[in-house]
Amino acid sequence: QPIPLVQLLSISRSIHSMTLNIRRRGRLSVVDIEGLASASVHQHLDQIGVGRYQGLLLIAIGLSSMAESIEMGAVCPINAALVRELGLSDNVRDLLPGVCFLGSAIGLVLAGPLSRLLGRKGVVVLSLIAVATNMLVTSVLTTGTNVLVVLLVRFASGVAGALQIPAGHALAVESCDGNTRGRLMFGIMFFGSVGYLVEAVGMKAYMPQFGNDQADDWRGFCCFISMFSVLALPLVVLLVESPCFLAVCGDTASCVQALNYMASMNGKLTIPTATLHVPDPTVKPSMWIFTPKAIMIEMGGHSWI
């Protein structure tokens, strides 16, 4: 039976509306990720407000960002020291900066999938451990080290530092109320900027000749860099996973526990589990936006297929 023209126009308007205003429909989300439910995670975060937990969040993610800035700011001096100390060729010297920044680019790409797999907090913890380990490994490289190992270590340095940038920012903005997110991100970026100043002070103390002199203590400078990741790690462990991420994953119990942990630190009332509703999925989630079910939902549930 042919579809009436009026219904076709309604279908066209619905599809056009979808293309202009696509909402993310997360798997097992708290009704809707954008906070359309009366008891959404974002509304609970607004009720929790700003307090000691957000202060801990600022310091933990800020120190993580500082550790990344110090590491990446020292790329060229560390590479120069490695070339001089290990007797690397000119070709390898030319490759080292590109390998480091290629690793950083790949780390940014991997941060998204890993944040989905391990959670935002898990990726930040992984990044800090990887940065500290990589710097310590770099500090023990010797003249007998294979060139490929040196390149691999420097590549891993870029990957390790970049992982925590998107994950840390996502964890921060998903763990505070809407009015605080801008100020919190400003504070985190300020910590990152201070990291370059700290790196310059460390450079003056350990490598005043930027790695080009025998007296430069580049091994000690690598340990100095790793110290900031070690310092940030226990603070990040004290944080909880993003409640928005837990809600999207359907882990209602952990979501409520995370919100209650924040509320208790801020001196606010805890949240009963019954106030959060996570609907059970009726079909396997799809990565595609324009599925028949999605179009039916946009049209108010009227089937036209």
Side-chain angles (χ1 to χ4, degrees), residues 63-246:
L63 283 177
S64 301
S65 181
M66 180 184 291
E68 187 273 338
S69 298
I70 295 172
E71 183 205 23
M72 295 309 295
V75 165
C76 290
I78 293 294
N79 287 345
L82 288 173
V83 170
R84 177 186 54 79
E85 184 74 15
L86 306 185
L88 302 177
S89 66
D90 292 342
N91 291 333
V92 176
R93 181 192 61 189
D94 296 338
L95 281 175
L96 283 175
V99 165
C100 291
F101 289 107
L102 175 62
S104 180
I106 293 178
L108 291 173
V109 173
L110 293 177
L114 286 177
S115 294
R116 176 62 180 169
L117 180 65
L118 305 177
R120 284 82 163 106
K121 176 184 173 181
V123 174
V124 176
V125 171
L126 175 64
S127 175
L128 292 174
I129 294 175
V131 169
T133 303
N134 185 274
M135 285 294 101
L136 293 177
V137 170
T138 303
S139 68
V140 298
L141 295 177
T142 63
T143 54
T145 306
N146 188 282
V147 172
L148 293 179
V149 173
V150 176
L151 292 174
L152 179 61
V153 169
R154 299 307 290 154
F155 173 80
S157 174
V159 174
L163 284 176
Q164 61 92 15
I165 299 176
H169 292 177
L171 178 60
V173 300
E174 293 175 359
S175 301
C176 64
D177 64 284
N179 294 328
T180 309
R181 290 169 187 164
R183 288 177 290 174
L184 182 63
M185 285 304 303
F186 174 83
I188 292 172
M189 298 305 295
F190 180 80
F191 268 90
S193 299
V194 171
Y196 292 107
L197 178 61
V198 174
E199 180 263 335
V201 174
M203 184 77 64
K204 178 65 175 178
Y206 288 93
M207 301 174 61
Q209 301 302 320
F210 295 91
N212 295 312
D213 191 88
Q214 190 69 29
D216 286 343
D217 185 11
W218 64 275
R219 300 183 191 274
F221 188 52
C222 289
C223 295
F224 172 79
I225 296 172
S226 67
M227 179 183 69
F228 289 89
S229 295
V230 174
L231 180 64
L233 186 58
L235 297 177
V236 174
V237 171
L238 291 176
L239 300 176
V240 292
E241 183 55 84
S242 161
C244 298
F245 172 73
L246 294 172

Side-chain angles (χ1 to χ4, degrees), residues 242-267:
S242 161
C244 298
F245 172 73
L246 294 172
V248 170
C249 292
D251 193 348
T252 314
S254 297
C255 177
V256 173
Q257 289 176 1
L259 290 170
N260 285 341
Y261 180 80
M262 298 178 188
S264 63
M265 284 196 66
N266 289 1

Side-chain angles (χ1 to χ4, degrees), residues 285-302:
S286 173
M287 295 298 293
W288 298 97
I289 297 175
F290 295 105
T291 60
K293 182 175 180 60
I295 296 176
M296 287 173 60
I297 291 173
E298 288 293 332
M299 295 185 61
H302 299 292

